[in-house]
Amino acid sequence: MTDKILIAFKSIGKNKNRNFLTMLGIIIGIASVICILAIGDGFAHTVTKGMGNHNTRNKVILQWEPTSDYNTDGGFTQNDASVLEKVPGVDHVKLASSIAEAGAKVSYKTKTASIGLNKQPKNLKLVKGTYFTMTGASNGIYISEDLAHKLFKENAINRLISVDGTIFVVQGIYHISNMNYRPDAYVSKTIFKQLFASQISRDQAKLYVQPDANKKQVGKTAVKRMKAMGEQKQTGKYSVSNPDAISKQFTRILNDITYFIAFIAGISLLIAGIGVMNVMYITVSERRKEIGIRRAFGATSSDIRNQFLIESVVLCIIGGVIGIILGYILVSIINAFLPFKADITSYAIILSLSVSTAVGLIFGFIPSNKAAKSELVGLLKEE
Amino acid sequence: MLKVTDVKKAYGKFTVLEDINLEVADGEFLAIMGPSGSGKSTLINILGLLDQSYTGEYLLEDKNYQNVSDNELSRIRGDQLGFVFQNFKLLTTYNVYENIEIPLIYSKKAQNNKQELIADVIDKVGLTGKEKNRPSELSGGQQQRVAIARAIVNRPKLIIADEPTGALDSKTSKEIMDIFTKLNKAGTTVIMVTHDSEVAEYAMRTVYIRDGHLYNDEKSVKNHD
Ligand SMILES: Nc1ncnc2c1ncn2[C@@H]1O[C@H](COP(=O)(O)OP(=O)(O)OP(=O)(O)O)[C@@H](O)[C@H]1O
Ligand SMILES: [Mg+2]
């Protein structure tokens, strides 16, 4: 077998230019296949990861939105929650907030500012000070660089500031990059709960549904009841929030792109296949003398068919390998523009090589068969 | 070795061979002579199992091959027969060694000692040192030696040569004929087409073709005229 593949390489090498042009279609086709699969896989990976976080499977989220920008306080009350719990299919209800931070007024001497504030996260990178998890009713506070600039001319560490009338000691300063949203200040978990949590409007009601419930129906009924009985129905609107909406739209765009690339891949592979068939026809008619000689010295007609089939497959696999490399380069470029990482899996490589092999076999078959079936005496008259 | 009885071959209405009767014994060296277009190549194509479309009976070693599978025909061609064609018929993009190797690729006979066999026949035809050369880098006589080496590398019982000296000068022709004589002495049956009566002298026996008919001596050809 290896010697037969070597013969194929040799024959292909004899017509490098012609064969390279033939391979172009396969190269483009396979590169497209690699791109499609990489984008698809990368996206599926991201979405499923995101799904894990949302865990929207067993719940319907109701959203309250204020009708006016000036009146942002409001949302769902405990009464609303009990009403919602009676919606058929609902197991239990939890109220939550889509905005996880509380608003507060901060002042230092004569300067004041309105800020958003939250309980401290586990880890935070500081530009000044040291970060640690504050316990109990600690009055430490971490503030953003921007806020520090607003309040202090210079060193802010260990200065005392008032937040909604309570005094805090600045423990550290952190930077907010454009990429990451952060509130303007962090306080300890306990303090946040005691002083600020109640301010956060509960604008979300999470309806945990029973396993067999129809989520759509539950959402509809819940919105209807809130419209009728919701305590904040005057100041805001109720709706079912759909955390998948963005990703759905994104999927649609991606699907369009994928179909487009798949279309290109299909067309290139078809054209490539026809090119392969053409070049194999040319090869076979150019090498009638060789076929005759091989036949006279013991080659069976299936030996001849296999020789040309192997040649056609090797041609396509070389094209496929170049296509995979080109695909890899393209995917690296595409990755610079995508919000997730497109990945070339071993599955994509195996599929590409299989497709190349299939193109070689399918489009090489008729010419190879022609070579195998040619009449021997006629072949031996060729010079 | 072989027996031909009443073989007839026609292309449509055009009859090339008619009433051919011929018997060749094991170890014989037969020359076939005749003018151009008389059907010499046509006859030896039949003898060499390259052409199956004829009527009449042809037995090679008492076996009729007219209706056997392509696989079996190919195996016999590869293992039992050796061809030397008109105009050498070498693969121009392969070197001497690779040209001679061709019959071994398809034979089950020699898989382990390929190199040995090839070196042996290269030595026999006097081409040692030319293994890596392409046919275009060889003289006509040397190319014909490659063709002979290729024909004998699988140790065939029967060698069929079509005008082996057709393209060569008389000195080179003699060297080539010496190789055939040696092979024949070693036990190989040789059937050779030639139109050169000097070359035909090397054979034990000569038959003549004229207008598709086979004659056993030149006199009968003349009588026919
Ligand atoms: N495929 C074919 N179709 C029709 N006629 C053919 C075909 N092949 C050969 N012939 C005819 O058969 C006749 C014998 O041809 P063949 O090749 O056997 O001649 P030859 O004796 O070998 O001649 P030369 O010495 O020139 O090689 C010729 O007249 C040729 O025109
Ligand atoms: Mg001839």
Side-chain angles (χ1 to χ4, degrees), chain A residues 381, chain B residues 11 14 16 35-42 86 163:
Chain A
K381 283 200 175 125
Chain B
Y11 289 108
F14 179 63
V16 185
S36 183
S38 56
K40 306 180 298 288
S41 296
T42 307
Q86 231 167 342
E163 303 265 16

Side-chain angles (χ1 to χ4, degrees), chain B residues 57-85:
Chain B
E57 189 185 53
Y58 167 46
L59 301 178
L60 176 66
E61 303 231 277
D62 299 323
K63 190 164 164 38
N64 187 337
Y65 287 98
Q66 211 169 8
N67 290 311
V68 303
S69 69
D70 172 72
N71 281 357
E72 186 168 2
L73 274 179
S74 304
R75 192 175 56 76
I76 300 291
R77 282 199 291 261
D79 289 350
Q80 318 256 7
L81 307 176
F83 297 94
V84 179
F85 292 106

Side-chain angles (χ1 to χ4, degrees), chain B residues 114-192:
Chain B
K114 268 189 187 180
Q115 272 147 321
E116 242 171 83
L117 286 173
I118 294 169
D120 181 50
V121 291
I122 285 178
D123 179 53
K124 257 188 196 148
V125 299
L127 278 179
T128 310
K130 297 281 182 193
E131 289 86 348
K132 293 273 176 291
N133 288 75
R134 297 278 174 91
S136 57
E137 298 159 348
L138 301 176
S139 71
Q142 287 171 328
Q143 292 187 44
Q144 192 61 293
R145 286 161 198 263
V146 178
I148 295 171
R150 179 179 62 185
I152 63 176
V153 70
N154 235 349
R155 315 234 162 125
K157 290 180 186 156
L158 173 62
I159 291 178
I160 294 175
D162 197 350
E163 303 265 16
T165 61
L168 307 176
D169 62 41
S170 59
K171 183 174 164 282
T172 320
S173 299
K174 189 183 169 317
E175 287 165 9
I176 296 294
M177 289 320 297
D178 286 340
I179 298 174
F180 278 112
T181 310
K182 249 190 215 157
L183 287 168
N184 178 244
K185 290 246 165 72
T188 315
T189 308
V190 180
I191 297 175
M192 171 184 73

Side-chain angles (χ1 to χ4, degrees), chain A residues 103-108 110-116 146-148 150-151 162-164 184:
Chain A
K105 278 221 161 57
V106 54
S107 59
Y108 175 73
T110 56
K111 288 175 186 151
T112 59
S114 290
I115 59 162
D146 289 344
L147 181 59
K150 256 183 224 166
L151 299 178
S162 146
V163 181
D164 281 358
D184 305 291

Side-chain angles (χ1 to χ4, degrees), chain A residues 74-150:
Chain A
F76 296 93
T77 62
Q78 280 310 318
N79 283 342
D80 292 341
S82 355
V83 170
L84 288 172
E85 261 170 8
K86 285 178 195 117
V87 171
V90 174
D91 188 66
H92 61 280
V93 174
K94 268 190 188 165
L95 299 181
S97 172
S98 62
I99 329 149
E101 62 193 65
K105 278 221 161 57
V106 54
S107 59
Y108 175 73
K109 292 188 178 162
T110 56
K111 288 175 186 151
T112 59
S114 290
I115 59 162
L117 164 140
N118 207 341
K119 55 185 184 249
Q120 65 174 149
K122 267 199 190 105
N123 298 301
L124 186 62
K125 224 182 126 203
L126 298 182
V127 288
K128 258 182 205 153
T130 44
Y131 193 72
F132 56 90
T133 305
M134 298 175 286
T135 49
S138 160
N139 66 339
I141 188 166
Y142 292 97
I143 62 173
S144 72
E145 228 170 4
D146 289 344
L147 181 59
H149 281 304
K150 256 183 224 166

Side-chain angles (χ1 to χ4, degrees), chain A residues 213-278:
Chain A
N214 176 348
K215 278 166 51 178
K216 239 184 184 164
Q217 193 54 48
V218 167
K220 259 189 189 164
T221 319
V223 169
K224 222 191 222 163
R225 293 205 181 165
M226 279 299 104
K227 271 183 181 160
M229 300 181 262
E231 294 199 38
Q232 303 279 349
K233 65 181 178 191
Q234 307 296 346
T235 52
K237 270 188 186 160
Y238 299 94
S239 65
V240 176
S241 107
N242 191 347
D244 289 342
I246 300 165
S247 73
K248 255 184 195 153
Q249 195 183 356
F250 199 51
T251 312
R252 205 172 308 133
I253 295 169
L254 260 172
N255 272 343
D256 287 349
I257 296 174
T258 307
Y259 286 136
F260 179 66
I261 304 179
F263 180 72
I264 293 178
I267 296 282
S268 343
L269 287 173
L270 181 71
I271 292 171
I274 294 168
V276 167
M277 195 153 156
N278 181 45

